Amino acid sequence: MTLTKTDAHRIASTLKPESRAFLAGRFTDASDGGTFATTNPATGTVLAQVAHCTATDVDRAVAQARRSFDSGTWSRAAPEHRKAILLKLADLVREHREELAVLESLDSGKTISDCLHEIGNEVPTFFQWYAELADKSFGKVAPTGEDNLALIVREPAGVVGLVLPWNFPLLMAAWKLAPALAAGCSCIVKPAEQTPLSALRLAELAREAGVPDGVLSVLPGLGETTGQAIGRHPDIDIVSFTGSTEVGGYFLRYAGESNLKVIGLEMGGKSPFIVLDDAELTDDLIEQAAMSAFWNGGQNCSANMRQLVDARLAEDYADRVIARARAFVVGDPLDPATGIGAMVTAEHQDRVMSYIDTGAREGARLLSGGNRFGPGCFIEPTVFGGLTPDMTIAREEIFGPVLGILPVTGMDEALRIARDSDYGLHASVFTRDIDRAIHMARRLPCGTVSVNGFSEGDVKTPFGGYKRSGSLARDNGAEAMDQYLQTKTIWFCTANPGIA
Ligand code: NAP
Ligand code: MG
């Protein structure tokens, strides 16, 4: 699936993005008329003034969502009905993939190749997969004595708030919306303030597919206003949040100070990429090392920036990773040849640059890159060597194109350093020894471990974090539906009718 640079720019020049909130089945301004700007970080151009939804707008959306939920048009519809509509939505996303991908790339600075892959393949797959799950999720019959019958049924949990980050705007919307809608919930989506446009277009497609009015609202806005109003709303049953660990903590507080809504959290990471001494430094391994840190410009919760490489391999490894890093084209996100686009905002670019400065100041060796350039929010792919476990850049999430090599001696040291982290989202281990692979995979405290790869999985496999990377909730896989379902037991208590 490709798009030439000329075609991508042509589509970009014709787009007229919707920038009002989607509420009760139509687009509307914020109740107080407030707006905020969303910008293309590759050029600095303001793309749109977007509705800044207030607590009043959240109230209105929740009232609509509750009404639709209680009416049963979606929540109690036959699963086949929800399935048909979500399959139609998957088709519509596929049909509009080029327009959506260009819109996403403009709003976020992500490369057009990544946007096309995510929106042309992954997003529709999510709607399709959960659509298919809707009519294949069975309840249970409990083992009871003959005089009783106990059914365990799953019911849609109610009104859910879905609060999203900016690094995979439409994909994160699909990760949450697909299972929540398939389960029968009514949903209120708050996209990140940096990237609100693709979710608004998705709402239009959902309406076209047949999602009833009120079942889906998309409320753009800022975290402290719109996000907080969702977190504190007394009639929202569940919030599923993806974003930083700090803001995840706020949602737990909001829930505690309001209605004790259930909070599902997918948060930050500092994922180790471990290369043991028996690993063979193939071109494929080097490619995976570079992609695991630089994919999406490193703006990835599971980015494997912390590369723990056996000291005997570390020098050769560094030379080859540097060569690969320098081969990335950094620049115009709408050019399919570009491998690393723009950082999402100028403030985020500053934040990543300050980590690069801190790394150098604390004694890590800057081996390649390290500079910003513009116009636009670009940063060269950057490689540090000689990290030690206590350095700031070895411990904190950077969320930019920065790869750090930390030499280790032996499996035990690698495991000890890898485990010594506040986060637990993902880890990669490279070894040719199956016993070591199993031992490492079982001892690493994180939600996903990849052996001889860095993939974090796909729609079929649950994704989430240990420690400060997440709560017990999981996105993806059949487990994601559990976030949006209640469990009810129905007892049939029969009087013995006296039959022998
Ligand atoms: P963020 O700053 O935590 O924002 C996430 C969402 O929360 C945004 O919609 C944001 O709104 C909202 N928010 C911010 N402050 C709030 C507040 N005081 N009250 C209520 N809501 C608030 O995260 P981000 O910078 O967008 O995303 C990057 C983070 O997401 C990284 O830490 C990354 O690791 C994590 N992430 C995790 C996963 C995963 O699956 N574990 C996947 C992707 C990203 P505004 O946009 O207005 O600030
Ligand atoms: Mg933007």
Side-chain angles (χ1 to χ4, degrees), residues 37-41 45 47 104 106-109 193-197 344-345:
T38 190
T39 304
N40 175 352
T45 319
L47 293 166
E104 183 102 310
L106 290 173
D107 208 10
S108 64
E193 71 188 68
Q194 298 85 349
T195 55
L197 299 179
V344 71
T345 57

Side-chain angles (χ1 to χ4, degrees), residues 408-492:
V408 292
T409 305
M411 183 175 72
D412 290 344
E413 186 179 65
L415 190 55
R416 183 175 52 74
I417 295 171
R419 288 173 59 93
D420 178 22
S421 171
D422 290 340
Y423 296 109
L425 196 54
H426 178 260
S428 283
V429 184
F430 285 77
T431 175
R432 285 180 287 179
D433 181 333
I434 187 71
D435 295 335
R436 298 170 104 194
I438 293 170
H439 177 74
M440 295 288 281
R442 297 304 296 247
R443 297 294 313 282
L444 286 161
C446 53
T448 303
V449 179
S450 306
V451 176
N452 295 331
F454 80 94
S455 161
E456 58 193 30
D458 62 20
V459 67
K460 302 183 289 296
T461 54
F463 182 74
Y466 286 27
K467 303 195 208 175
R468 305 191 75 199
S469 290
S471 56
L472 287 178
R474 290 290 180 265
D475 282 332
N476 309 352
E479 287 77 358
M481 287 276 266
D482 294 340
Q483 281 198 64
Y484 308 107
L485 291 167
Q486 279 282 18
T487 302
K488 177 181 281 178
T489 306
I490 306 174
W491 279 96
F492 293 87

Side-chain angles (χ1 to χ4, degrees), residues 163-168 172 175 190-194 221-224 227-228 241-245 247 250-251 254 266-269 301 397 399 425 463 469 475:
V163 181
L164 307 178
W166 47 259
N167 56 345
F168 297 95
M172 291 300 110
W175 274 27
K190 189 203 106 45
E193 71 188 68
Q194 298 85 349
L222 307 191
E224 306 87 75
Q228 178 158 198
F241 166 85
T242 294
S244 61
T245 297
V247 176
Y250 298 166
F251 275 92
Y254 300 153
E266 302 287 353
M267 302 181 289
C301 54
E397 185 178 44
F399 231 58
L425 196 54
F463 182 74
S469 290
D475 282 332

